[in-house]
C-alpha cells in the first residue's frame, strides 16, 4: 500500500478548490490524473430539486468509510494516490458536491480506480445520508 498523505479524504462545508486538489495529486512519477467533479442537478427522480443536504450528523462514519474506500482502491489498482473531497451541509442546484481524483503512471488504472470509488460512494455512502428536498409543483403566485 502507498503511504497516506495528509488530507486526501475530507469533508468540508467550503467550496471545493478543484485546482488546488489537482495540484496535490501531481508528482513527477505520474502521467495521468483521472477525476470526477459532481454537482447538484436541478432535477432528480423526475422532480425539480430545491436543495440537497449532507448533514454533519454521522460525518465521522462517512469519513471512515471514505478512508476505507481510498485504502481499497490503493490496494486494488496500480495507482499512486486517491483523493476524495465531499461537501456537507445545505447545497442548492449548481453547487459542487464531490471531487474524486486519482493519480497513476498511466490512464487505465486511474480511470478504473476513479470509477470504482464513485460507484462505491454512490452505493455505500450517499444513500441514507443525503437528504433531497424538491420544489412544490404548486405555484402560489
Amino acid at each position: 500500500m502507498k503511504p497516506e498523505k495528509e488530507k486526501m479524504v475530507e469533508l468540508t462545508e467550503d467550496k471545493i478548490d478543484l485546482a488546488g486538489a489537482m495540484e496535490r495529486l501531481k508528482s513527477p512519477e505520474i502521467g495521468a490524473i483521472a477525476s470526477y467533479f459532481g454537482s447538484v442537478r436541478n432535477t432528480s427522480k423526475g422532480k425539480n430539486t430545491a436543495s440537497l443536504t449532507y448533514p454533519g450528523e454521522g460525518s465521522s462514519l462517512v469519513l471512515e468509510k471514505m478512508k476505507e474506500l481510498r485504502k481499497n482502491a490503493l490496494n486494488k489498482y496500480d495507482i499512486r494516490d486517491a483523493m476524495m473531497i465531499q461537501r456537507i451541509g445545505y447545497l442548492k442546484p449548481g453547487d459542487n458536491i464531490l471531487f474524486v481524483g486519482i493519480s497513476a503512471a498511466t490512464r487505465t488504472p486511474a480511470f478504473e480506480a476513479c470509477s470504482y470509488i464513485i460507484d462505491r460512494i454512490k452505493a455505500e455512502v450517499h444513500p441514507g445520508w443525503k437528504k433531497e428536498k424538491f420544489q412544490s409543483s404548486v405555484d402560489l403566485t
Side-chain angles (χ1 to χ4, degrees):
M1 186 170 98
K2 286 90 175 170
E4 287 264 330
K5 279 188 181 177
E6 185 97 15
K7 299 285 256 179
M8 294 307 277
V9 178
E10 57 185 290
L11 303 178
T12 183
E13 291 182 357
D14 300 326
K15 289 184 178 181
I16 298 170
D17 175 11
L18 182 57
M22 297 297 254
E23 278 301 315
R24 289 171 29 203
L25 284 165
K26 287 183 179 180
S27 67
E29 59 274 354
I30 67 155
I33 295 175
S35 65
Y36 169 84
F37 194 62
S39 61
V40 180
R41 289 177 297 181
N42 63 358
T43 60
S44 177
K45 302 174 188 170
K47 300 177 188 175
N48 291 334
T49 303
S51 66
L52 290 182
T53 303
Y54 292 90
E57 305 87 51
S59 59
S60 61
L61 294 174
V62 167
L63 190 61
E64 289 309 309
K65 180 61 179 174
M66 290 174 70
K67 287 180 179 179
E68 178 186 321
L69 291 175
R70 179 178 180 267
K71 180 179 176 182
N72 291 346
L74 288 167
N75 286 325
K76 184 174 179 158
Y77 298 96
D78 185 19
I79 59 175
R80 167 83 171 129
D81 219 331
M83 175 186 286
M84 291 169 268
I85 305 171
Q86 168 73 52
R87 293 279 303 276
I88 59 173
Y90 174 85
L91 303 168
K92 59 188 184 319
D95 286 346
N96 52 39
I97 301 172
L98 174 66
F99 170 78
V100 176
I102 308 293
S103 62
T106 61
R107 70 181 179 273
T108 299
F111 281 121
E112 289 173 348
C114 192
S115 182
Y116 165 81
I117 288 177
I118 295 161
D119 290 347
R120 300 281 49 86
I121 287 174
K122 292 287 199 176
E124 300 171 22
V125 176
H126 285 176
W129 184 48
K130 171 177 80 171
K131 309 296 182 211
E132 290 180 284
K133 185 175 179 183
F134 299 102
Q135 294 175 356
S136 171
S137 60
V138 178
D139 185 6
L140 302 174
T141 57

